[in-house]
Each structure stands twice: as structure tokens, then as C-alpha cells.
Amino acid sequence: MGKHDKKKGAKSSKGGKSKGAPAPKQMVFRFGKRTDGDGTQKALLGGKGANLAAMARMGLPVPPGFTISTEVCTWYYDNGRRFPDKLAKQVKDGLRSIEKEVGRKFGDRRDPLLVSVRSGARDSMPGMMDTILNLGLNDVTVEALKRATSNGRFAWDCYRRFVQMYGDVVMGVQKKHEHDHEPFEEVMDGLKREMGVTEDTQLSEEHLKELVRRFKDLVKRWTGKQFPDDPMTQLHGAIAAVFGSWNNDRAIVYRNKYKIPHEWGTAVNVQAMVYGNMGDDCATGVAFTRDPASGENVFYGEYLVNAQGEDVVAGVRTPLPVAQMARDKVLSKSFGQLEKVRKTLEKRFGDVQDFEFTIERKKLWMLQTRNGKRTALAYVRIAHDMVKEGLMTPEHAMKSADPEAMNQLLQPVFDRTGYEAARKAGRIMTKGLPAGPGAACGEIAFSASRAEALARQGKHVVLVRIETSPEDLRGMIAADGILTTRGGVSSHAALVARQMGKVCVAGAGEISIDYHAGTMACGGRTLREGDFLSINGTTGEVIEGQLGTADSELKQVLVAGTMKPSDSRVFRDFDFVMKLADRYRRLGVRTNADTPEQVRQAVAFGAEGIGLCRTEHMFFEGDRIDAMREMILARDTDGRKRALAKLLPYQRSDFEGIFRALEGRPACIRLLDPPLHEFLPHTKEQQAELGHKIRVPAEEIERRVHELHEFNPMLGFRGCRLGVVFPEITEMQVRAIFEAAAAVEASGIRTKPEVMVPLVGFRRELDLQAELVHRVAAEVMDATGQRFEYQVGTMIELPRAAIAAGQIAETAQFFSFGTNDLTQTALGMSRDDSGSFLPRYQELEIAKDNPFASIDVGGVGELVDMACRRGRETRPDIKLGICGEHGGDPSSIKFFEKVGLAYVSCSPFRVPVARLAAAKSAVELGTVPKVGRKADKPAKAAKPAKGKKARGGARR
Ligand code: ADP
Ligand code: MG
Ligand code: MG
């Protein structure tokens, strides 16, 4: 990874700036006995080149070579694909220095030096140019190589590989259509057929000579050009091909996908060849210093005896596990060398290394090393072990984290063998969007009530719906997994699944559901309610029938309590990483939670309070919805007040539960927000049923439902507009909050309610609501004789609120950015309707990311930044937080760290993701607090990072 880029190169020109600029002075950097560059110069030398230099400096056996810098690549493109005049001379000097070190000459007729030409960008980039090996061979030098090694077959094998690679990569002899055969392979297969052999290794020296001849003919036919014999011409052709490959389609696609800047450019490495294909005392291989899947501290890798280059990965022969080399009679000594190298590399690079090597006549040569990619499981284990072993700095453990991947550790998993069997049996029905990672298996239920009923019988359930709505919530809670056939990753089902940590596959459009018949059909198969179904929310797969699952160990320890911490290795590693994150992060992490259960889970995962409690979810439970509906349908204030009085005790006891579960942590509670219409029954039967219960004629209900219908509910009668027009609703809610606070405080538990008024655009809206809140608070304190701390603030979720933030802060004690609505209103884009055009927008790079998943820094981000500044101007100690979905998104979290928010809030199961992302951002931005967060004093193992700025120092 492109971490330390202290020296040159980072400033390399952006598209066209070096046009007409002089070429860089030093373009060629040697490595070997004399090494010009070092490991910090990834920007200049590329990842491969910088690490070759680093290894050479460490005294590891690296075949000598040189790197042509990325600056030459940028210059080349800025100057109409022309090389700087002085490059040829510097390349020649570079070659001279290799020749001196190995004692062979390039193009020599007795003992020729051969080189490899390798591309190497800052980050490794599959899809770039393939490496060319054995460059420098021609009809004369091949015979010299044969004499020098007394091995004709070897020499000619090198030659045919070279002509093949060079013909393909540099001269463009490649298949034209996907279904064509590789032209060189076709020629080789033809020869094998003629000679009656099946394996490459059965080809004799004579066969190989014939093959080279045919390869060259192929090149001539294909390109109209002669294969170049002059080694220097070959070398310059290869260098130009590497630079050219920076802009081939594969490379561009890859850079777009992984957001690698196009102006970085690639370096070229030219390196003396070492041969793993000279006999049985030779080999080539790739290895990891630890197991990248489990993180276990074992040597992990593969090698092939008597092979060259890509043979290991190409799957021509099956490689052997590296540990087996210890038992190889000829190569066991080399294994000893490798073991030593393994330790040395980890010590020097402070992380697990993924490296490539070749053994030539029992001598080990190192050809590459880089930080190894790993699973989440391996990440926590390696971070734990290597930090404790003193090999990895805690800063690196944070910086190299992939916070998003923490989710992998929380998800139940399908039993592997069962899955394979199901796949083989053709039981995989279709694929939807992987909306909530993990594995779930259970009986199909097509309605929420059915799901609940089955769950009550102790059964596992998969709730299958066309789409879900708040009414389905109880069924969703009861189900092990949720499958919908409509809606995207930000649909209701997906949102709830994330908040609850539920397995969910959304929008599996190939499935058609017939609620009446109680069936779901897909690809000719029909399943009924009660049949078994398995869904994989990590892959989106929907599988017919039963598959065994297991709860993740982390949940067993932290949530279910069915496992002791000491029994779980994953837990120990995870816990270590999380505690480390807590020392390095500046941002607080809260949770979005509506029930005591969610609070307890979130706290177990490290949440420091509630950032968003949505009160409306509470109205769907049990009979409460009836009172709620009665309130909505009431004709006048008195009627509303009567219905609200029924709701008050419910809300009060809910808040009590939440305050108790919080044990003194703050709770930001949002007043009623959604349009009332959402709470009403929509079918005739439901309306009749309700009418019967609350003794109102069904027609009357139908009429009210009709009246309340809005053309654009998102912009309609909702948010604080409800409380402004019907203050009695707000009054009931805050009374419930404060009475609950008083009761809980009386029992000795601290409470910190923060009353949040939604959808404010005008200061006066907030003033009216705040007045009411303060009055009720005073009344409750008077009536109960109990004092409690509380705050009143607002959500900033309308552009007008961001603009008027300075005025709003006169009244608001805190802001919480509701970035979901703020994104919708700032972009004038409805999240639920964006599916039809947003993907195309992303392809066209109008919007790089989905703005509902990752904050739109240039637009919405500017509004957030502006509101922060204006808010602070009025009220320097204003508390700033974020409670939108973006609060759990690592790249958004980095932005929130930059603007200096006090906390982010996310769903309970994303809390670990947010903790780690916050720490990573602080380390990257240099905003690690001087003293660790709260009581957690930094242990001596971990020195806090450079920490130029203290707590809150990230403010602009
Ligand atoms: P990639 O970036 O695709 O990994 P490399 O440049 O690392 O490509 O080259 C691929 C393989 O070619 C290496 O793993 C090594 O086995 C072989 N190779 C490259 N340079 C040399 C060399 N100088 N001597 C021997 N083998 C080499
Ligand atoms: Mg490689
Ligand atoms: Mg909102």
C-alpha cells in the first residue's frame, strides 16, 4: 500500500502539467549491491521497485537491477508518448551496473546476461502488463546460454518462453475474440500433437527449437514484423510496452474501480534473471509470512520444483505447500533460508508479507514482497499477535484496517460442506442483492404475522415479502432472515436488516410471490409457505431447502452470553483491536437504537450512547397502534389528547427501559417524524377492524385516510411540522421522556436525555418546540421533585437549516446531522426512487459513490461543514453529531473526523466498524487525541501517534 511517500514523486504531474517541462534528472534507480532508492519511495519507484530496494538494503539476496521511475511514465504521456532523450543513456548505465555485479554481459556470445522486465505501480494492479522473462535471447545468445549451463533443453525452454511472452505482451499477438484460443498455445498444441506428447515437459530441445521457429513465424504473420534479435531493441520495446500498458483498458477499468488516480503512472523494473527451471535443485514460489485466511502464525505458501515465473499461479502443474520443502532432500537447506527471511521481512516491514522467490541451484533469491491482503478474521488475529510481539506498530494496525470487513466477524455462517452439496445438487435458485450479510435458514413465511407465529413455536423463519414496510417490523424481528423481491440496498428491508444485524437478501427480482396461493416461484420451481429456504446475505444467494448455520463467536460472547470470552480466540483478538481503536480515535461512537435490547447489544459492541432513538417504531408494538390511529383520526384537540393520554404510559415505560439499559449514557431522542399517513390501515378489512375497535364507522376511517393522503409525503406534513400544528403530540412525548428520566434518576441511575426536534428549517419552529420542552421539563421536575439534566437540539436535515445554522444555534444546544434527508433534500433526489438512474450516474461518474451510502463530500458535505462553522460561531460548545446512515460508513466517517464532529451514530452492529474507522481516520489525519479517550489510559505497549493536534484539533 502506498503509505510512506516522503520523498520525490508524489508531486508528479497531473495530466499535462509537465508538458514542455524538462525531463526528471535521475530516471533510473539501481538496486543490488549499490542501491539508490529505498522503501519509502513507493510514489517514485512503484511498490515493487521500492520494496526491491528495501530488500537489497537489508542485505537480502535480490538479483540486481534498476527501476525506471513513475516520473518517466508521466513525462512520456505528457509529451506525446515520447521518451526523454537522456533515458537511453541512463538505461545503458543501469545495465552496465547489473553486468558488473553478476559478471555477465547483455547480448554476450559466451555467457549472456538475461533480464526480466516488470511493471510496478504504487499499489499492485492486476490487469496491468504481464512480466517478460529471459529478455536478451536470440539465436546466438541461446546457444551461448546452452554452453554456459551445459543444458540445451533449459536454454531453449527459456527462449520459447521469451518469444511467447514478448510476442504476446509487446508485439500484441493475442486472441481477438473471447472464445478464440491463445495463438501461441494453439501453435504449441499443434506441435505437441504432431510429436505425440501431452505435457510441456516432454518437449525435447529439438522440439523447442522447432517451436521457437514456428512462434517467430506466427509473429511475422500476425504483425508483419520480424521478431527483434537485438537485445537492446528488445529492451526498449519492453520498456515502452510497460508504459503503454498503464493506459490499456484493463488497467483503466481497474483504476476506476479502486479509485487509483490515473496520473500516478507506473514504474518499470529491469532485473537480472535467476533461474528456477535449471533442474531439481531449483524452484519458484510464492508465500505469506502468516496464514492470510486465519491469521495463524504459520508459514504459508506454495512452490514448484524446476519451474519459472508464473508456473505456480498458472496452474500448469500442482504446486506443493511450502512446509513440505523442509522434507525435500535437495531443498531443505533453502527452506531454512526461507524461514529466516520470513522473520526478517516481518520485522522490517512490520506487517505480514506476501512474497515471491526463486531458488537457483539451492540458492534463494527474493523477487518481490508486499503487505499481504487478508480476511477480517486474519486481520484481527495478526494485529493482536504482531502488536504484542512488538513487530507491528498500533498505528499501522489501525491504518491497515478495513473497518467494513468487521461485519464478517459478526455474521452467522453456512456450514461449508452443506453448501457445497447444495450447490452441486442445483439448489441455488437465484441471486438478489446482498443487503444484510450472513447466513439464515428457516421455514418460509409470507406475512409478518405468520413469521411471528412460527417463531413463537420455536421455529426458524425466513420472511419472504415483495417488499417490507414498518408494519412488518415484528415479523422481521421474529425472522432469522428476510428476503424481498423488490427494493434495493437502501430499501426498508435492507435498512432494518442492517440496524438489527439481520440476514437479508433484497430485490431478488426473478422470484415471483403469490400471497394468495402462498407460493414463491423461480426458474420453474415453486416453494410453499412452511417449506425450508436458506439465504446468504453476504453473497445474495437464495437456496432451496435446509442448510446448517452457526452463530458467530462474537455474538455468542457479547450478545447471547452462550460462550465465555476466554473460550473464544476471535473474541480475544477482536477485543484487542477494538480497545486499540478506542485509544486512537477522537470521534465518539453512538448507536441508532429504539429498544432496550438494541441498546444492550450496541453497548456490548462499544456504543457510548444513543445518537438516534426513533420514537415512532414504538407505536407499532402490541395494541399501541390502535391508540395511535385513534389520535390521528381524531377530529379535534380534545379527541387527540384523549388518545395521546393512552399512549403516554407506553412511551414512558419504553423510555425507562432505554434509560436503564443506557446506564447513564446520553440518549438523543427524536420527536415524532414520519407523515401520519404511514400509521394508518390501508386495506378495507384493516379499516373495518380498526373501526370496530375504536368505534368509528369504517367509511369515516376510509375518508380520513383519503384526506391524509399526500402527493409528496417526504416533503409533507411531517417532522416538527406535526408538533408545531399539534403541540399536544410533542407535549405527550416530552412528558413521557422526562417522567421516565425522573423515575430512573430516582432509582439511582443517571439519565441524559437530549430532545431532538426533526426537520427544522426555521429558527422559529425550534423556538416554539423548545419552549414547550422547557415548560414540560419544569413541570415534571416540580411534580416529581426530581432533577435531571437534559438538552434540546435539532436535526440538521434541510438545506435551509444548514444555511440558518447560526440562528438556529441560538436555541439549539446540539445539532445532529440527519444526512439521509439532507442528502435527499440537497440533491432533490428521493432515495427510494433513485434506483432507476443512480447506477447509470455512477457509471458516468456524475456521482462517484452512491450518495446515500457515502456522503457526497462536495455538496452535502459542504452543507455539513458550513452548518458546523455557523453553529460554532453562535455557540462555541455546541455538540455536533451525525445520525444518518452515513454514520456507519468508513469513508464518510473520515469526512466527519475532518470537520471535527463530536460523534457518529450508527446501527448497533456497525458500532465496531465505526470505532475502527474513527481510529483509522484519526491516525491518517493526524488527529489522534493526546490522552486516550476517557478512562482508558494508554498502556505502554502503544504510544499514541504523532498526534500533532489534541482533542478536537481537527476543526478547520
Ligand atoms: P506480477 O506483478 O504479476 O506479480 P512480477 O513482475 O512479480 O509480476 O513477475 C512475475 C513472476 O516472474 C515473479 O513472481 C517471478 O517468479 C518471475 N520473475 C520476475 N523477475 C524475475 C527474475 N529476475 N528472475 C526470475 N524470475 C523472475
Ligand atoms: Mg509478482
Ligand atoms: Mg429525517
Side-chain angles (χ1 to χ4, degrees):
M1 260 168 233
K3 25 173 198 160
H4 347 266
D5 287 323
K6 289 192 294 210
K7 305 208 169 161
K8 298 186 209 169
K11 59 178 178 352
S12 67
S13 67
K14 275 193 189 144
K17 270 193 205 136
S18 73
K19 207 163 284 172
K25 258 207 169 120
Q26 186 176 4
M27 295 181 272
V28 165
F29 296 76
R30 293 168 299 178
F31 54 83
K33 286 219 178 75
R34 301 259 290 278
T35 302
D36 300 322
D38 66 54
T40 65
Q41 293 171 298
K42 291 212 168 66
L44 184 68
L45 304 177
K48 203 181 280 169
N51 279 354
L52 283 168
M55 287 197 292
R57 279 178 185 274
M58 290 159 71
L60 286 176
V62 176
F66 59 84
T67 304
I68 306 173
S69 76
T70 56
E71 287 178 348
V72 179
C73 184
T74 6
W75 196 93
Y76 172 83
Y77 278 109
D78 290 345
N79 292 274
R81 300 195 176 217
R82 196 164 58 79
F83 288 113
D85 298 332
K86 299 225 169 74
L87 183 64
K89 163 87 171 59
Q90 291 194 21
V91 166
K92 211 175 211 166
D93 292 346
L95 264 179
R96 290 292 97 83
S97 135
I98 302 179
E99 289 175 340
K100 247 205 205 142
E101 196 170 326
V102 301
R104 290 186 191 127
K105 285 214 156 88
F106 195 53
D108 189 52
R109 291 162 173 266
R110 274 163 308 156
D111 188 7
L113 164 71
L114 304 188
V115 296
S116 65
V117 177
R118 323 169 63 185
S119 65
R122 261 191 234 193
D123 287 322
S124 78
M125 260 181 61
M128 284 276 300
M129 199 199 75
D130 294 318
T131 293
I132 296 166
L133 302 177
N134 313 322
L135 187 140
L137 282 175
N138 55 34
D139 294 344
V140 179
T141 52
V142 72
E143 287 300 326
L145 182 65
K146 172 178 168 174
R147 283 193 302 275
T149 58
S150 325
N151 191 341
R153 192 188 179 279
F154 157 75
W156 281 91
D157 186 48
C158 287
Y159 195 14
R160 77 92 191 154
R161 285 171 191 261
F162 168 58
V163 176
Q164 182 170 353
M165 282 185 266
Y166 196 93
D168 171 353
V169 175
V170 181
M171 304 188 76
V173 180
Q174 288 156 2
K175 58 181 181 182
K176 292 184 172 131
H177 303 286
E178 212 185 322
H179 304 296
D180 292 354
H181 291 286
E182 296 285 353
F184 286 108
E185 293 295 337
E186 211 165 352
V187 171
M188 182 139 116
D189 288 342
L191 183 86
K192 281 202 259 179
R193 261 197 311 276
E194 283 170 38
M195 304 304 159
V197 304
T198 51
E199 302 294 315
D200 296 8
T201 45
Q202 293 171 306
L203 291 172
S204 68
E205 182 183 342
E206 287 310 312
H207 294 156
L208 291 166
K209 273 186 191 166
E210 174 60 19
L211 195 54
V212 168
R213 209 185 49 70
R214 291 191 190 181
F215 276 179
K216 285 187 173 177
D217 281 350
L218 173 69
V219 169
K220 183 79 206 288
R221 257 185 291 126
W222 203 278
T223 65
K225 284 186 212 142
Q226 205 67 40
F227 191 89
D229 282 329
D230 172 44
M232 216 51 184
T233 311
Q234 294 173 352
L235 181 59
H236 284 288
I239 292 170
V242 174
F243 285 148
S245 74
W246 178 253
N247 275 340
N248 71 26
D249 290 344
R250 284 185 300 168
I252 291 172
V253 168
Y254 185 86
R255 284 201 293 277
N256 286 341
K257 178 155 188 216
Y258 292 95
K259 305 198 178 77
I260 296 173
H262 295 295
E263 62 269 15
W264 275 4
T266 181
V268 183
N269 299 290
V270 177
Q271 186 176 29
M273 282 302 299
V274 288
Y275 306 102
N277 55 337
M278 277 175 133
D280 288 343
D281 54 355
C282 302
T284 181
V286 295
F288 283 82
T289 55
R290 297 182 192 215
D291 185 333
S294 71
E296 204 186 330
N297 188 0
V298 291
F299 201 7
Y300 182 97
E302 295 176 323
Y303 74 104
L304 266 179
V305 174
N306 196 10
Q308 188 174 58
E310 304 285 69
D311 292 359
V312 180
V313 239
V316 192
R317 282 186 279 150
T318 314
L320 303 168
V322 97
Q324 204 155 310
M325 202 188 284
R327 294 190 295 275
D328 185 302
K329 275 189 226 92
V330 190
L331 295 174
S332 61
K333 271 239 178 66
S334 314
F335 182 75
Q337 283 176 286
L338 270 178
E339 271 285 11
K340 260 191 223 128
V341 163
R342 177 185 166 214
K343 300 236 158 63
T344 316
L345 286 177
E346 284 200 343
K347 205 165 189 179
R348 163 64 178 78
F349 291 99
D351 200 348
V352 165
Q353 295 298 294
D354 162 0
F355 67 96
E356 300 175 357
F357 62 91
T358 281
I359 297 168
E360 177 184 319
R361 293 192 168 141
K362 297 191 197 168
K363 174 154 175 49
L364 174 69
W365 292 98
M366 295 296 294
L367 293 171
Q368 188 175 338
T369 190
R370 62 185 163 207
N371 291 347
K373 299 244 183 324
R374 64 208 72 178
T375 65
L377 189 68
Y379 164 73
V380 290
R381 178 151 185 180
I382 288 166
H384 170 271
D385 291 356
M386 289 188 78
V387 170
K388 286 211 157 162
E389 290 158 18
L391 289 170
M392 183 187 279
T393 64
E395 288 87 349
H396 181 77
M398 295 298 104
K399 260 202 249 180
S400 61
D402 174 6
E404 191 69 45
M406 284 301 104
N407 274 330
Q408 290 172 21
L409 301 178
L410 297 179
Q411 298 313 326
V413 280
F414 276 131
D415 165 64
R416 264 188 158 286
T417 46
Y419 171 80
E420 274 307 312
R423 198 177 54 77
K424 288 216 182 89
R427 278 162 53 201
I428 296 172
M429 299 177 76
T430 182
K431 223 171 176 179
L433 291 164
C441 172
E443 294 180 29
I444 297 171
F446 289 115
S447 68
S449 54
R450 178 82 192 148
E452 272 190 288
L454 286 173
R456 247 184 268 117
Q457 296 166 28
K459 292 193 169 149
H460 291 283
V461 190
V462 176
L463 176 65
V464 181
R465 304 277 306 161
I466 295 173
E467 55 197 352
T468 63
S469 74
E471 276 175 280
D472 296 321
L473 211 62
R474 284 186 294 168
M476 296 170 86
I477 293 167
D480 292 84
I482 302 155
L483 169 65
T484 66
T485 59
R486 226 185 266 158
V489 188
S490 49
S491 62
H492 178 263
L495 214 83
V496 171
R498 273 199 295 278
Q499 172 150 5
M500 301 195 303
K502 278 264 148 118
V503 177
C504 176
V505 173
E510 287 178 1
I511 298 175
S512 59
I513 297 176
D514 185 339
Y515 285 135
H516 284 288
T519 57
M520 58 175 272
C522 179
R525 259 172 303 198
T526 303
L527 300 185
R528 329 200 134 264
E529 194 146 52
D531 287 350
F532 274 98
L533 188 70
S534 305
I535 58 172
N536 187 338
T538 313
T539 62
E541 281 166 313
V542 180
I543 303 141
E544 185 183 351
Q546 240 169 326
L547 269 188
T549 62
D551 214 348
S552 72
E553 283 186 20
L554 287 190
K555 278 195 185 169
Q556 294 186 43
V557 173
L558 286 169
V559 181
T562 48
M563 194 169 185
K564 276 192 293 181
S566 54
D567 288 346
S568 172
R569 167 89 217 208
V570 195
F571 172 76
R572 195 184 72 194
D573 298 337
F574 168 84
D575 195 48
F576 176 84
V577 168
M578 285 299 135
K579 291 202 168 116
L580 210 56
D582 291 346
R583 286 212 301 269
Y584 281 85
R585 69 189 161 94
R586 182 197 59 81
L587 274 169
V589 176
R590 294 196 189 184
T591 189
N592 297 356
D594 312 331
T595 65
E597 186 52 29
Q598 287 175 1
V599 171
R600 273 188 288 272
Q601 289 174 355
V603 168
F605 285 119
E608 297 158 314
I610 292 183
L612 176 63
C613 176
R614 299 181 177 91
T615 50
E616 56 271 16
H617 280 180
M618 303 172 173
F619 294 126
F620 282 98
E621 238 165 77
D623 299 335
R624 304 168 183 198
I625 189 67
D626 297 334
M628 184 68 184
R629 286 167 173 170
E630 189 180 330
M631 188 277 287
I632 296 167
L633 295 169
R635 295 159 172 280
D636 51 25
T637 313
D638 278 346
R640 251 189 313 278
K641 281 190 171 163
R642 269 197 305 278
L644 284 165
K646 291 185 196 167
L647 286 169
L648 176 68
Y650 291 130
Q651 285 240 290
R652 188 172 49 220
S653 77
D654 282 345
F655 289 131
E656 271 197 49
I658 286 173
F659 289 142
R660 286 184 201 284
L662 278 168
E663 297 174 321
R665 298 177 182 85
C668 185
I669 301 165
R670 178 176 72 182
L671 298 177
L672 191 64
D673 181 56
L676 298 179
H677 189 256
E678 272 189 21
F679 296 94
L680 292 176
H682 294 289
T683 66
K684 275 225 156 40
E685 296 91 69
Q686 287 172 325
Q687 287 170 356
E689 194 188 326
L690 177 68
H692 184 72
K693 272 197 199 157
I694 63 172
R695 280 177 239 108
V696 173
E699 304 78 63
E700 168 87 14
I701 293 176
E702 195 184 337
R703 198 174 51 74
R704 273 299 272 162
V705 171
H706 199 71
E707 272 172 21
L708 282 168
H709 175 78
E710 290 179 309
F711 288 105
N712 207 334
M714 188 186 100
L715 303 177
F717 189 23
R718 56 168 288 217
C720 69
R721 296 159 198 172
L722 295 168
V724 167
V725 177
F726 301 138
E728 54 275 14
I729 298 181
T730 302
E731 175 154 358
M732 181 282 285
Q733 289 205 291
V734 290
R735 190 170 295 281
I737 293 169
F738 292 143
E739 286 179 359
V744 173
E745 291 266 349
S747 72
I749 298 171
R750 292 296 313 276
T751 62
K752 288 181 188 157
E754 301 167 352
V755 178
M756 179 157 73
V757 183
L759 214 74
V760 163
F762 302 85
R763 176 189 168 173
R764 178 105 181 105
E765 289 172 316
L766 180 63
D767 286 351
L768 288 170
Q769 294 286 289
E771 227 176 83
L772 211 160
V773 177
H774 290 309
R775 173 173 59 78
V776 174
E779 283 171 14
V780 173
M781 286 191 209
D782 268 357
T784 59
Q786 183 67 52
R787 305 203 66 80
F788 46 84
E789 251 180 65
Y790 73 95
Q791 290 191 334
V792 184
T794 182
M795 220 150 153
I796 302 285
E797 53 185 337
L798 294 176
R800 194 184 195 288
I803 293 163
Q807 294 161 27
I808 293 172
E810 303 261 353
T811 308
Q813 292 168 286
F814 65 86
F815 287 165
S816 176
F817 290 94
T819 49
N820 295 354
D821 272 331
L822 189 59
T823 301
Q824 299 202 93
T825 51
L827 301 184
M829 203 183 267
S830 147
R831 178 175 65 186
D832 298 330
D833 300 320
S834 61
S836 49
F837 55 88
L838 204 52
R840 185 75 184 125
Y841 265 45
Q842 286 175 258
E843 272 169 35
L844 292 171
E845 292 187 47
I846 296 170
K848 270 204 175 160
D849 298 305
N850 178 344
F852 299 108
S854 249
I855 194 149
D856 158 41
V857 173
V860 178
E862 282 293 310
L863 285 172
V864 170
D865 187 31
M866 178 178 69
C868 287
R869 279 186 284 112
R870 294 188 177 177
R872 282 189 188 116
E873 238 160 67
T874 305
R875 189 187 287 267
D877 66 341
I878 191 163
K879 195 191 307 169
L880 302 168
I882 136 98
C883 61
E885 282 278 300
H886 302 91
D889 168 60
S891 70
S892 308
I893 288 174
K894 188 162 181 186
F895 171 78
F896 300 133
E897 174 66 26
K898 238 184 230 162
V899 293
L901 297 191
Y903 69 85
V904 297
S905 185
C906 58
S907 51
F909 294 100
R910 287 197 75 84
V911 168
V913 174
R915 283 160 83 190
L916 197 50
K920 180 177 169 140
S921 306
V923 172
E924 284 175 350
L925 295 167
T927 49
V928 175
K930 282 237 170 62
V931 231
R933 292 183 61 78
K934 292 212 191 126
D936 281 351
K937 286 269 151 50
K940 64 174 187 299
K943 283 177 270 134
K946 283 137 242 154
K948 282 167 225 133
K949 293 174 182 166
R951 192 185 291 272
R955 293 174 183 186
R956 283 189 189 163

